[in-house]
Amino acid sequence: MTDELVRVYVPATVPMLARLHAEGLRASEAHAVTRDLREWYAEGDEEELEYVAFTRAAQDALLLLREDTSAPRRRVVVSVDLPAAAVERADGVLGSSLVLLSAPVPAAAVAALHVDGAEAVGDVTAAVDVAREALAGDPDAQFTVDSAEDHELEWYDASELELLLRTVS
């Protein structure tokens, strides 16, 4: 019997992508369509639930950028397909999409790469500076983060990783 695969959205940075082939994607937390998310958004279809999980991963990418001041100011989300056994429920809070990853994500599990385009850099840079304040409920900070979220992340096939790295580094 094969293990069911779960689509997981992993927040990342460009330097994390650069290390993907050598060491996998090292992340302990990610987002997915969880039972808690399904219960909270009972009216949402699968696509809407996936969008919520994806958006939350993009928000977490802002926090990663805040920690890595040398990383290009572009949000990165990596869509991966992992065995269900490699994904643990994180907190059990109604509406949560947070999951814990038991090991680095291998490059072979990557389904797609999502990265901000060049036009988003200014808004993302401003959002990085106030991301924590926005999470704490500051409305001005949230307005700044929302400006970054107005930019859709660009989609890249997993096979385009090297091209993507040359473009955004």
Side-chain angles (χ1 to χ4, degrees):
M1 184 166 118
T2 61
D3 197 6
E4 175 188 352
L5 293 179
V6 176
R7 174 59 54 98
V8 178
Y9 303 97
V10 183
T13 63
V14 171
M16 290 171 72
L17 289 181
R19 298 185 298 270
L20 178 61
H21 284 300
E23 56 190 59
L25 189 58
R26 296 189 176 274
S28 57
E29 295 181 348
H31 292 270
V33 177
T34 62
R35 184 176 68 229
D36 297 317
L37 184 62
R38 280 186 206 289
E39 289 176 15
W40 184 257
Y41 290 95
E43 299 298 316
D45 64 20
E46 193 68 17
E47 188 175 319
E48 290 170 320
L49 295 172
E50 287 176 354
Y51 186 75
V52 169
F54 177 88
T55 300
R56 290 178 179 172
Q59 291 167 344
D60 283 356
L62 291 173
L63 299 175
L64 292 175
L65 289 170
R66 189 167 176 152
E67 294 171 15
D68 185 352
T69 58
S70 66
R73 293 336 218 190
R74 297 183 189 221
R75 295 170 299 163
V76 176
V77 174
V78 182
S79 296
V80 301
D81 294 318
L82 297 173
V87 180
E88 299 176 35
R89 188 172 159 191
D91 53 19
V93 174
L94 190 61
S96 177
S97 61
L98 190 65
V99 294
L100 303 176
L101 304 178
S102 59
V105 176
V110 175
L113 307 163
H114 312 272
V115 181
D116 273 311
E119 74 286 344
V121 171
D123 288 333
V124 170
T125 300
V128 166
D129 292 339
V130 298
R132 290 220 186 277
E133 292 82 353
L135 285 174
D138 181 316
D140 292 331
Q142 187 59 53
F143 180 79
T144 302
V145 169
D146 289 346
S147 293
E149 291 178 356
D150 286 343
H151 298 276
E152 293 290 327
L153 278 71
E154 297 175 353
W155 181 92
Y156 294 86
D157 185 77
S159 66
E160 297 177 289
L161 176 60
E162 296 307 318
L163 171 67
L164 173 61
L165 289 172
R166 286 192 303 272
T167 305
V168 299
S169 294

